[in-house]
Amino acid sequence: MRQLPPGTRALRSFEAAGRHLNFTRAADELGLTPAAVSHQIKEMEEQLGLVLFTRNSRSMQLTPAGSVLLEATAEALGLLRRATGRARQLARGETRLRLSLGARFATQWLLPRLPRFRAAHPQIELSFDICDEVRDFDADDIDAAIRFGTGRDPHTLAVRLFDARVIPVCSPALLQSGPPLARPVDLLAHTLCHVDCRVDGQVWPNWPMWMAAAGVEGLDAGRCIAFTDSSHVVQAVLDGGAVGLVEQDLVAEDLARGRLVRLFDIAVGLGPAYAYHLLYPQRSQGQPAIEALRAWVLREAGL
């Protein structure tokens, strides 16, 4: 009689435990207790007649048999996740799209423009996956994504939208009642804030970079306020007490409405290789909803 393989729950517990080599971390990832993970692994070992882990008081390791089974389990679960995601995409039909994008881009660029998309394409229903992590289109049930980077992926079509040109902005109130802001050097008398992060190991444009481009010396970088997210920079500026470095295209609506004021005609960026891209699988090329989204995003980006 052919032996049945372990169930999906046991395989998930084994894969997580084998990846972490720790039942507690595996349990945290799966939303289980360590005892439940240990019990499922024990049942799996008894069912297969194999020892999958060696354990002592301080650590655990995969046995040779466990290593072989872990590789196959990870591959099988990955294939199942991708197939499930693909099946969900097919079940949605051609008039529903799931778009993945970061919170900053969603808040500052897409959401103010979303009514225009719905007016232009009432037949297309958009849902969103708000996440800064790179997504797998099939495994994560995603039809398209907007991401910042080089757009290089042999299995994905990338449509370049715009690069990240970082500019200084302030509130109208600060411009009217604060210290003068007639020259770049005047910024040294103000509270300055920027985003502190890296992209592919490169430092995101900050005040020392902008001051160098403007030819301003004497900046005390230790007095600058660094945030991990540009939404916090924008809020600090809107509150009226700071000058912030923000991405020009992501605050275009605020600039147009006069909520923010651009200071000086100097911008800095990461370089021409980096930009925001609309990404989608090659197999989706030509699908009406994808092509409608592509055309609309390009129009909104001024392309």
Side-chain angles (χ1 to χ4, degrees):
M1 180 177 177
R2 180 177 298 177
Q3 187 179 49
L4 293 175
T8 304
R9 291 184 62 188
L11 290 175
R12 289 180 62 222
S13 293
F14 169 62
E15 190 275 334
R19 182 160 33 85
H20 291 292
L21 292 177
N22 185 287
F23 284 169
T24 299
R25 288 198 292 271
D28 289 341
E29 177 181 313
L30 298 172
L32 301 173
T33 64
V37 172
S38 177
H39 178 71
Q40 289 187 21
I41 299 299
K42 183 179 179 181
E43 282 194 340
M44 187 171 166
E45 289 179 321
E46 292 176 351
Q47 178 183 351
L48 297 175
L50 296 170
V51 176
L52 303 176
F53 295 96
T54 58
R55 308 169 182 83
N56 58 42
S57 59
R58 294 186 177 181
S59 65
M60 58 185 286
Q61 297 293 326
L62 287 160
T63 64
S67 295
V68 171
L69 192 58
L70 177 64
E71 182 178 355
T73 299
E75 182 178 348
L77 290 175
L79 180 61
L80 183 59
R81 282 193 295 268
R82 288 190 291 274
T84 301
R86 181 69 181 130
R88 286 173 176 160
Q89 292 170 15
L90 292 173
R92 278 200 297 273
E94 295 185 355
T95 60
R96 300 174 66 188
L97 290 178
R98 185 163 169 79
L99 178 66
S100 179
L101 67 168
R104 178 182 58 184
F105 193 94
T107 301
Q108 297 180 358
W109 194 89
L110 181 67
L111 290 183
R113 294 168 168 82
L114 193 55
R116 294 201 286 268
F117 178 83
R118 288 174 172 162
H121 302 286
Q123 79 283 8
I124 298 176
E125 180 182 341
L126 276 180
S127 61
F128 302 100
D129 167 67
I130 306 300
C131 180
D132 288 315
E133 297 177 2
V134 175
R135 293 300 209 184
D136 182 297
F137 289 110
D138 288 339
D140 296 310
D141 186 20
I142 300 298
D143 296 299
I146 296 177
R147 291 284 182 261
F148 184 82
T150 61
R152 296 171 186 162
D153 186 328
H155 306 295
T156 301
L157 292 175
V159 182
R160 186 185 179 98
L161 303 178
F162 47 81
D163 58 8
R165 305 297 294 171
V166 176
I167 61 171
V169 298
C170 73
S171 70
L174 183 65
L175 195 61
Q176 293 172 5
S177 60
L181 281 166
R183 301 173 300 160
V185 70
D186 294 337
L187 289 164
L188 298 179
H190 287 264
T191 301
L192 305 177
C193 55
H194 61 255
V195 175
D196 180 19
C197 70
R198 291 176 177 267
V199 177
D200 291 345
Q202 298 188 63
V203 176
W204 189 257
N206 55 30
W207 277 113
M209 296 178 187
W210 191 92
M211 292 295 186
V216 176
E217 299 179 352
L219 172 70
D220 181 0
R223 294 182 58 199
C224 297
I225 301 174
F227 294 99
T228 58
D229 192 284
S230 66
S231 62
H232 299 148
V233 176
V234 171
Q235 190 59 53
V237 173
L238 291 174
D239 287 343
V243 177
L245 280 180
V246 297
E247 295 174 66
Q248 180 177 351
D249 287 286
L250 296 193
V251 295
E253 293 281 325
D254 289 316
L255 292 171
R257 295 177 182 179
R259 298 178 70 225
L260 296 176
V261 179
R262 177 175 180 175
L263 301 171
F264 315 116
D265 191 22
I266 300 170
V268 292
L270 278 183
Y274 291 89
Y276 286 95
H277 294 83
L278 173 66
L279 309 167
Y280 52 91
Q282 291 184 358
R283 65 171 182 271
S284 299
Q285 187 174 20
Q287 292 183 4
I290 288 289
E291 294 301 326
L293 176 66
R294 170 184 171 136
W296 179 82
V297 169
L298 285 173
R299 283 197 303 273
E300 290 292 327
L303 301 174

